[in-house]
Amino acid sequence: IEDGDPYMSLFTTDPLTYKLRVRRKIAVAAKERYINEWEGYLSAGTYSQEYRNAPYRVSLKAVDGLATLKDIL
C-alpha cells in the first residue's frame, strides 16, 4: 500500500457504499437518452491495478446486491 493511492478509498467493509450503473445511450426523437442496463454494488476489496507506467488498466468487480434481500423484513 502506497501513500496517495487514489483507489484506497474503494476498500470498505460496507458492501453498499458504492453503487455502479451500466447505462446505454440511445437517440429518441433527435435527443439523447440513457437506459439503465444494470445496477449493482462495488465488491469491497476487489480493486486491482497493473504495476506499470500510466496509462494503466484498472479493474473493478461488482455484484447485483440480491444477497442483501435476506435482511429485509
Side-chain angles (χ1 to χ4, degrees):
I1 299 174
E2 297 178 17
D3 291 337
D5 187 344
Y7 301 107
M8 285 307 297
S9 64
L10 296 178
F11 289 94
T12 177
T13 56
D14 182 1
L16 304 179
T17 299
Y18 297 104
K19 184 177 235 181
L20 299 158
R21 283 191 189 113
V22 176
R23 301 186 305 168
R24 180 171 38 113
K25 184 175 16 173
I26 62 169
V28 177
K31 293 182 180 180
E32 290 182 351
R33 192 173 147 214
Y34 291 92
I35 295 176
N36 282 344
E37 293 285 332
W38 183 84
E39 283 188 11
Y41 297 95
L42 181 66
S43 296
T46 59
Y47 148 75
S48 65
Q49 173 182 327
E50 295 179 9
Y51 292 103
R52 61 167 74 172
N53 294 334
Y56 46 79
R57 184 178 171 152
V58 174
S59 298
L60 303 171
K61 292 183 182 178
V63 296
D64 56 17
L66 286 176
T68 60
L69 291 177
K70 68 178 177 58
D71 298 328
I72 297 175
L73 299 176

